Amino acid sequence: MPPLLFDHVWSHARIATLDPQVAAPYGLLEHHALAVRGETIAAILPVDSPELRQYSGAVTDCAGRLITPGLIDCHTHLVWGGSRAADWEARLTGVPYLEIARRGGGILSTVRATRAMSDDELLKAALPRLRALVAEGVTCLEIKSGYGLTLEDELKLLRVAQRLGHADPALRVEISPTLLAAHAVPPEFAGRADDYVSYIGDEIIPAVAHNGLAEAVDVFCETIAFSYEQCDRIFAAAQRHQLAVKGHVEQLSHSHGAELVAKYGGWSADHLEYLDDAGIGALAKAGTTAVLLPGAYYFLREPQKPPVAQLRAAGVPLAVASDFNPGTSPFASLRLGMNMACVLYGLSPEEALVGATRGAAQALGRGAKLGTIAVGKRADFLVWDVAHPAEIVCALGINPLVQRVVRGIPDSPL
Ligand code: DI6
Ligand code: FE
C-alpha cells in the first residue's frame, strides 16, 4: 500500500477560504475537500479529484457545511480582577468616563482588584472568558497585561496569559501575549508619568523580554494616558529588546499615535476613531494593520467613527477584534464584534470575517501561518452549520459552530 498522503480529510464542504487568491466572495469553493497532513493544510481539492478516490484514511463528511479559518481575536484584555458593572451603571446616567476615573473607578479600580489576586486566582477568573471566546470559534487570541502596572504585577498578568494557552486540554488555543504597562499612570507615580515611562523602559520591558513573556509592547496614547513623546520612548525600548509594537491610538482624541506606530513598523494601530489622512497614509505606507474595536465605541457611546472608507481606499489591512475588557468592552464574543463592525462601522460581512481571520493574523505577525484556508497554512479551521457565510456574523444568540479543528485535530466529532 502506498503511504497515505493525508492524515484526515474533511469532505463535501463549502470552504470560505478567505484567501485573496481565490476570486469569489469569501474565497468560497463549493463541493471541495480539505486535506490535512500533520498540523498543516496539505490540499484543497474538488470532491471528485483522483487523489481523494485513492485515499482511504480518516474522513469527516461535512455534508455541505461551511468551513472557515479559525477566528483570531487580536485585541483583548482577558485577565483582570473585580467588576466594573457599577461604572457602567453610572455611565448610563451620564457620568463621564473621566469623572468615574476621578472617583476611583475606571482602569485604576481594576488595577487595585487585579493586584490583590494571585496567579491562580486570576487564571480561574479568566478561564470562563476564554471558554466563551473559544466556544464561538476563536483558535488564537492576543491577551494584554495592563492591570498590574508594577514590574511584579505585569509579569504576573503575562504569566497567566501564557498559562491560559495550556491550562485546560479541552481549550486548545494559541495566545499572543502583549505588554501594556503603559495603560494608565499607577498611583505610585501620580504626577510623575515620565518617571513611570522610564521605569517601563528600564525595568519592565527588559524583564519581560528576558523572560520571553510577551511578543509585543502596546501603549495607550491619549490625553488621559500617555503622550506621543512618552509612547515614542516606550516603543524605542521595545525595539531595543526586539519586541513588536502596537498602540491604542486615536481612540478618544487625535494625538498622531497612528503615525508613531507606523514609524516603528508596528503590527497594528487600534481603535482609530480620530484618525486623520496623515495617519491613514502612514499606516498604508508601513503596512500596519488597522484594528477596529466597535465594542468600545458602542459601550462608550462615542460620537465619532473611524474613517473606514478612507482606510479601505488607501489599502490599509483591516482587522476586527473584541477589545474584551471589564470597562469599555465587556463582552466575550468575537461574533458580536464582527456584527458591530458591520452595523456600526459599515463593514461588509465579508470584510468583518476577513478582519477576524486574515486581518487579525496579520495584526499578530502571523499572516504567513494563519488566517486563511490555503495549502501550507496551519490546519486551524471551523465547521459551521450555516447556509451562508454571513450568517456567522448576522445571527447572534445561537451558535452555529459544529466543529473546531486546531493543528489538524478536531475538538469533537462532527
Ligand atoms: N482603551 C480601552 O478602551 C481600554 N483600554 C484602553 O486603553 C479600556 C480598559 C478599561 O477601561 O479597563
Ligand atoms: Fe483595548
Side-chain angles (χ1 to χ4, degrees), residues 86-100 103 299-301:
D87 281 12
W88 185 62
E89 240 180 3
R91 281 211 311 273
L92 287 173
T93 68
V95 186
Y97 193 61
L98 263 179
E99 172 61 18
I100 287 168
R103 292 179 190 175
F299 276 98
L300 289 176
R301 297 197 281 189

Short mmCIF file of all heavy atoms in Angstrom, two decimals, residues 86-100 103 299-301:
data_model
loop_
_atom_site.label_atom_id
_atom_site.label_comp_id
_atom_site.label_asym_id
_atom_site.label_seq_id
_atom_site.Cartn_x
_atom_site.Cartn_y
_atom_site.Cartn_z
N ALA A 86 -20.66 48.64 38.13
CA ALA A 86 -21.14 49.88 38.75
C ALA A 86 -20.70 51.09 37.93
O ALA A 86 -21.45 52.08 37.83
CB ALA A 86 -20.63 49.98 40.19
N ASP A 87 -19.50 51.02 37.34
CA ASP A 87 -19.04 52.10 36.43
C ASP A 87 -20.04 52.25 35.28
O ASP A 87 -20.40 53.36 34.88
CB ASP A 87 -17.71 51.73 35.76
CG ASP A 87 -16.50 51.93 36.64
OD1 ASP A 87 -16.67 52.15 37.85
OD2 ASP A 87 -15.38 51.86 36.10
N TRP A 88 -20.42 51.12 34.75
CA TRP A 88 -21.33 51.14 33.59
C TRP A 88 -22.67 51.74 33.98
O TRP A 88 -23.23 52.57 33.25
CB TRP A 88 -21.50 49.71 33.06
CG TRP A 88 -22.30 49.62 31.81
CD1 TRP A 88 -22.00 50.16 30.59
CD2 TRP A 88 -23.56 48.95 31.64
NE1 TRP A 88 -22.99 49.86 29.68
CE2 TRP A 88 -23.96 49.12 30.30
CE3 TRP A 88 -24.39 48.21 32.50
CZ2 TRP A 88 -25.14 48.59 29.79
CZ3 TRP A 88 -25.56 47.68 31.99
CH2 TRP A 88 -25.93 47.88 30.65
N GLU A 89 -23.16 51.35 35.15
CA GLU A 89 -24.42 51.90 35.64
C GLU A 89 -24.33 53.42 35.74
O GLU A 89 -25.22 54.14 35.30
CB GLU A 89 -24.71 51.33 37.04
CG GLU A 89 -25.98 50.56 37.11
CD GLU A 89 -26.26 50.00 38.50
OE1 GLU A 89 -25.48 50.25 39.45
OE2 GLU A 89 -27.26 49.32 38.63
N ALA A 90 -23.19 53.89 36.28
CA ALA A 90 -23.01 55.34 36.43
C ALA A 90 -22.91 56.01 35.06
O ALA A 90 -23.50 57.08 34.84
CB ALA A 90 -21.76 55.61 37.26
N ARG A 91 -22.18 55.38 34.13
CA ARG A 91 -22.04 55.97 32.79
C ARG A 91 -23.39 56.12 32.11
O ARG A 91 -23.64 57.09 31.41
CB ARG A 91 -21.11 55.12 31.92
CG ARG A 91 -19.64 55.32 32.17
CD ARG A 91 -18.77 55.11 30.92
NE ARG A 91 -19.05 53.89 30.20
CZ ARG A 91 -18.50 52.71 30.44
NH1 ARG A 91 -17.64 52.58 31.43
NH2 ARG A 91 -18.80 51.66 29.71
N LEU A 92 -24.27 55.15 32.35
CA LEU A 92 -25.59 55.21 31.71
C LEU A 92 -26.43 56.37 32.24
O LEU A 92 -27.35 56.84 31.56
CB LEU A 92 -26.35 53.89 31.93
CG LEU A 92 -25.84 52.71 31.11
CD1 LEU A 92 -26.54 51.43 31.53
CD2 LEU A 92 -26.05 52.95 29.62
N THR A 93 -26.12 56.85 33.44
CA THR A 93 -26.85 58.01 33.96
C THR A 93 -26.17 59.31 33.55
O THR A 93 -26.56 60.39 33.99
CB THR A 93 -26.96 57.97 35.51
OG1 THR A 93 -25.64 58.15 36.05
CG2 THR A 93 -27.55 56.67 36.00
N GLY A 94 -25.10 59.20 32.76
CA GLY A 94 -24.48 60.41 32.21
C GLY A 94 -23.16 60.78 32.84
O GLY A 94 -22.54 61.77 32.47
N VAL A 95 -22.67 60.01 33.82
CA VAL A 95 -21.37 60.35 34.42
C VAL A 95 -20.28 59.98 33.42
O VAL A 95 -20.22 58.83 32.97
CB VAL A 95 -21.15 59.57 35.75
CG1 VAL A 95 -19.87 60.04 36.42
CG2 VAL A 95 -22.34 59.72 36.67
N PRO A 96 -19.42 60.94 33.04
CA PRO A 96 -18.40 60.64 32.02
C PRO A 96 -17.31 59.69 32.54
O PRO A 96 -17.05 59.62 33.75
CB PRO A 96 -17.80 62.01 31.68
CG PRO A 96 -18.57 63.02 32.44
CD PRO A 96 -19.37 62.35 33.48
N TYR A 97 -16.66 58.99 31.59
CA TYR A 97 -15.56 58.05 31.85
C TYR A 97 -14.49 58.70 32.75
O TYR A 97 -14.02 58.10 33.71
CB TYR A 97 -14.99 57.63 30.49
CG TYR A 97 -14.05 56.44 30.46
CD1 TYR A 97 -14.47 55.18 30.88
CD2 TYR A 97 -12.75 56.58 29.97
CE1 TYR A 97 -13.60 54.09 30.82
CE2 TYR A 97 -11.89 55.49 29.91
CZ TYR A 97 -12.31 54.25 30.33
OH TYR A 97 -11.45 53.18 30.26
N LEU A 98 -14.16 59.96 32.43
CA LEU A 98 -13.12 60.67 33.19
C LEU A 98 -13.51 60.91 34.64
O LEU A 98 -12.70 60.77 35.56
CB LEU A 98 -12.87 62.03 32.53
CG LEU A 98 -11.71 62.12 31.57
CD1 LEU A 98 -11.61 63.52 30.97
CD2 LEU A 98 -10.41 61.74 32.27
N GLU A 99 -14.77 61.29 34.84
CA GLU A 99 -15.28 61.56 36.19
C GLU A 99 -15.28 60.26 37.01
O GLU A 99 -14.94 60.26 38.20
CB GLU A 99 -16.69 62.18 36.09
CG GLU A 99 -17.43 62.34 37.40
CD GLU A 99 -16.73 63.26 38.42
OE1 GLU A 99 -15.84 64.03 38.01
OE2 GLU A 99 -17.05 63.15 39.62
N ILE A 100 -15.62 59.17 36.36
CA ILE A 100 -15.61 57.87 37.03
C ILE A 100 -14.19 57.53 37.49
O ILE A 100 -13.97 57.06 38.61
CB ILE A 100 -16.18 56.78 36.08
CG1 ILE A 100 -17.70 56.97 35.98
CG2 ILE A 100 -15.85 55.38 36.56
CD1 ILE A 100 -18.36 56.19 34.89
N ARG A 103 -13.28 59.49 40.52
CA ARG A 103 -13.90 58.97 41.74
C ARG A 103 -13.29 57.64 42.20
O ARG A 103 -13.79 57.01 43.12
CB ARG A 103 -15.39 58.71 41.49
CG ARG A 103 -16.23 59.95 41.26
CD ARG A 103 -17.67 59.52 41.02
NE ARG A 103 -18.50 60.63 40.56
CZ ARG A 103 -19.76 60.50 40.20
NH1 ARG A 103 -20.36 59.31 40.25
NH2 ARG A 103 -20.46 61.55 39.79
N PHE A 299 -19.97 50.73 23.73
CA PHE A 299 -20.20 50.85 25.17
C PHE A 299 -19.93 52.26 25.69
O PHE A 299 -20.52 52.68 26.66
CB PHE A 299 -19.35 49.82 25.94
CG PHE A 299 -20.00 48.47 26.01
CD1 PHE A 299 -19.66 47.45 25.13
CD2 PHE A 299 -21.01 48.22 26.93
CE1 PHE A 299 -20.28 46.21 25.19
CE2 PHE A 299 -21.64 46.98 27.00
CZ PHE A 299 -21.28 45.98 26.13
N LEU A 300 -19.01 52.99 25.03
CA LEU A 300 -18.72 54.37 25.46
C LEU A 300 -19.66 55.37 24.78
O LEU A 300 -19.60 56.55 25.07
CB LEU A 300 -17.26 54.74 25.15
CG LEU A 300 -16.19 54.06 26.01
CD1 LEU A 300 -14.80 54.44 25.52
CD2 LEU A 300 -16.35 54.41 27.49
N ARG A 301 -20.48 54.89 23.90
CA ARG A 301 -21.37 55.77 23.11
C ARG A 301 -20.56 56.94 22.51
O ARG A 301 -20.88 58.11 22.68
CB ARG A 301 -22.52 56.25 23.97
CG ARG A 301 -23.37 55.07 24.42
CD ARG A 301 -24.73 55.47 24.91
NE ARG A 301 -24.66 55.98 26.26
CZ ARG A 301 -25.74 56.23 27.01
NH1 ARG A 301 -26.95 56.04 26.52
NH2 ARG A 301 -25.61 56.69 28.22
#
